[in-house]
Amino acid sequence: MKNFCVILFHDFETLDVFGPVEVMGKLNQHYRIEFYSEHGGLVTSSQNVKVQTLPITELNGLNELDVLLIPGGIGTRSEVNNQAFIQILKQISNRAQFVLTVCTGAALLARTGLLKNRKATTNKMAFDWVANLDQEVQWIRKARWVADGKYYTSSGVSAGIDMTLGFIGDIIGMEAAERISTGIEYIWNKDRNDDPFC
Amino acid sequence: MKNFCVILFHDFETLDVFGPVEVMGKLNQHYRIEFYSEHGGLVTSSQNVKVQTLPITELNGLNELDVLLIPGGIGTRSEVNNQAFIQILKQISNRAQFVLTVCTGAALLARTGLLKNRKATTNKMAFDWVANLDQEVQWIRKARWVADGKYYTSSGVSAGIDMTLGFIGDIIGMEAAERISTGIEYIWNKDRNDDPFC
């Protein structure tokens, strides 16, 4: 059983998290989904969803760290300046087999320095803010999502669903991704370069 | 401030809830989102999301009950036989200005009897099970979502996002719905009769 570890913080964006979680949840024979935050306990999204989490330090106890999901949201505006949190994020991102970000989750990952010289994207409305956090990242404005090695970054909110299906397509196969999108009656935009919001 | 009350139960389907919550959350100047369950406390989705809820009896204390959201999920298979829960659901659905269901959430609403002689839909894979719970409902197989008076019912999982945008289009206006779908970079299937999964 692999782990799919979702990192939450106060004022995360609801669908950034639960679109990918819905999709990955269909692989529950392969992945166990758990939620973490800096201090554990209840963490509240911008849409007033209170989610129970484990302390992020518990990730240090895992031998294998398979997939990390870092969502965006208005909370990233303060978390980019939370050096303790960014430091832990860097450690666990280094250990993870794959790191996925949605929307301004890319801002947090950029702050770790791990995106330097890699291709990445983020959402439209906050693009310039995120891109200025690290100008050594090859920021791509027109993309539904971007994969560069183990790092998957997506555009805003709903693009995280398309990216996660694309991720499953890459690591398991297109048939599995298609079956999941049909099962949840989701009209999958499967072309990562087809970005109608650019 | 109006209330948008989300009814949770064990093994609800994650995206049935948080797609509509994401969309309604953009109307946070008009709607306050709260989560309720039969007994309150933490309720866990089929994808291991643990959400903090209030006891559903607290809804009896509200003077006005504006919008109810009833999600689906594998948990509906047992909840349709939970007579105490169905009874409360009937009371609060009667009082609500609008009732929205996603996926097999329609099974719970059908059990209250309130859908009799009304048009409604549900998801594809569980269609026959739901339709047999009350054959006096005018079940519509091919529909992304159906509105009949104050009752809005949608097809599976992701269709709830389309329905909620359609609901906003109906009660507030298409401009607001378009602005929200663009803001969350969601490719909205805005034709309720265009159901590619039928």
Side-chain angles (χ1 to χ4, degrees):
Chain A
M1 197 70 144
K2 297 188 172 211
N3 48 58
F4 185 83
C5 305
V6 183
I7 309 300
L8 300 186
F9 44 84
H10 186 65
D11 272 344
F12 70 88
E13 186 73 18
T14 300
L15 193 57
D16 286 17
V17 170
F18 299 114
V21 162
E22 174 71 29
V23 170
M24 289 301 295
K26 300 300 170 193
L27 298 177
N28 60 2
Q29 292 174 321
H30 305 286
Y31 286 91
R32 187 197 330 269
I33 299 172
E34 294 285 1
F35 295 83
Y36 298 87
S37 65
E38 189 177 4
H39 303 294
L42 287 177
V43 175
T44 307
S45 80
S46 286
Q47 289 75 31
N48 202 30
V49 186
K50 296 178 177 67
V51 182
Q52 182 72 355
T53 64
L54 300 165
I56 203 169
T57 48
E58 291 199 10
L59 286 173
N60 292 327
L62 296 182
N63 289 327
E64 308 256 325
L65 215 162
D66 301 307
V67 186
L68 274 190
L69 175 72
I70 307 172
I74 200 71
T76 60
R77 301 280 172 158
S78 50
E79 294 300 337
V80 291
N81 298 317
N82 179 347
Q83 295 197 1
F85 180 64
I86 296 294
Q87 190 56 35
I88 295 175
L89 212 53
K90 182 173 182 175
Q91 289 167 8
I92 60 177
S93 297
N94 261 324
R95 286 178 53 218
Q97 195 181 355
F98 294 100
V99 181
L100 280 53
T101 72
V102 181
C103 199
T104 50
L108 299 173
L109 187 57
R111 272 299 213 201
T112 67
L114 293 171
L115 284 180
K116 278 186 200 305
N117 304 313
R118 289 188 181 270
K119 295 185 187 74
T121 194
T122 184
N123 73 323
K124 299 298 162 289
M125 284 187 296
F127 199 94
D128 294 336
W129 173 68
V130 178
N132 279 320
L133 290 172
D134 189 344
Q135 296 182 3
E136 294 175 62
V137 180
Q138 296 170 46
W139 294 106
I140 296 175
R141 199 175 283 268
K142 182 174 167 55
R144 193 69 175 156
W145 78 91
V146 169
D148 187 338
K150 74 182 211 179
Y151 296 101
Y152 282 67
T153 53
S154 88
S155 289
V157 194
S158 311
I161 306 175
D162 292 334
M163 174 188 72
T164 309
L165 288 164
F167 171 68
I168 290 171
D170 289 348
I171 63 166
I172 294 182
M174 282 299 281
E175 197 186 339
E178 298 270 13
R179 191 180 60 244
I180 292 169
S181 68
T182 301
I184 64 169
E185 301 189 24
Y186 180 70
I187 301 165
W188 180 22
N189 179 356
K190 68 187 73 163
D191 178 358
R192 64 189 74 190
N193 299 312
D194 176 11
D195 181 4
F197 299 99
C198 187
Chain B
M1 196 70 144
K2 297 189 172 211
N3 48 57
F4 184 83
C5 305
V6 183
I7 309 301
L8 299 186
F9 44 83
H10 187 65
D11 272 344
F12 71 89
E13 186 72 18
T14 300
L15 194 56
D16 286 17
V17 171
F18 299 114
V21 162
E22 174 70 29
V23 170
M24 289 301 296
K26 300 301 169 193
L27 297 178
N28 60 2
Q29 293 175 321
H30 305 285
Y31 286 91
R32 188 197 330 269
I33 300 171
E34 295 284 2
F35 295 82
Y36 298 86
S37 65
E38 190 177 4
H39 303 294
L42 287 177
V43 175
T44 306
S45 81
S46 286
Q47 290 74 31
N48 202 30
V49 186
K50 296 177 176 67
V51 182
Q52 182 72 356
T53 64
L54 300 164
I56 203 168
T57 47
E58 292 200 9
L59 287 173
N60 292 327
L62 296 182
N63 289 328
E64 307 255 325
L65 215 162
D66 301 306
V67 187
L68 274 190
L69 175 73
I70 307 172
I74 200 71
T76 60
R77 301 280 171 157
S78 50
E79 294 300 337
V80 291
N81 298 318
N82 179 348
Q83 295 195 3
F85 180 64
I86 295 295
Q87 190 56 34
I88 295 175
L89 212 52
K90 183 173 181 174
Q91 289 166 8
I92 60 177
S93 296
N94 261 324
R95 286 178 54 217
Q97 195 180 356
F98 294 101
V99 181
L100 280 54
T101 72
V102 181
C103 200
T104 49
L108 299 174
L109 187 57
R111 272 299 212 201
T112 67
L114 294 171
L115 285 179
K116 279 186 199 304
N117 304 312
R118 289 187 181 270
K119 295 186 187 74
T121 194
T122 183
N123 74 322
K124 299 298 161 289
M125 285 187 296
F127 199 94
D128 293 336
W129 173 69
V130 178
N132 279 321
L133 290 172
D134 189 344
Q135 296 182 4
E136 295 175 62
V137 180
Q138 297 170 46
W139 294 106
I140 296 176
R141 199 174 283 268
K142 182 174 166 57
R144 193 69 175 156
W145 77 91
V146 169
D148 188 339
K150 74 182 212 178
Y151 296 101
Y152 281 68
T153 53
S154 88
S155 289
V157 193
S158 311
I161 305 175
D162 292 334
M163 173 188 73
T164 309
L165 287 164
F167 171 68
I168 290 171
D170 290 348
I171 63 166
I172 294 183
M174 282 299 281
E175 197 186 338
E178 298 270 12
R179 191 180 61 244
I180 292 169
S181 67
T182 300
I184 64 169
E185 300 189 24
Y186 180 71
I187 301 165
W188 180 22
N189 179 356
K190 69 187 73 164
D191 178 358
R192 64 189 73 189
N193 299 313
D194 175 12
D195 181 3
F197 299 99
C198 188

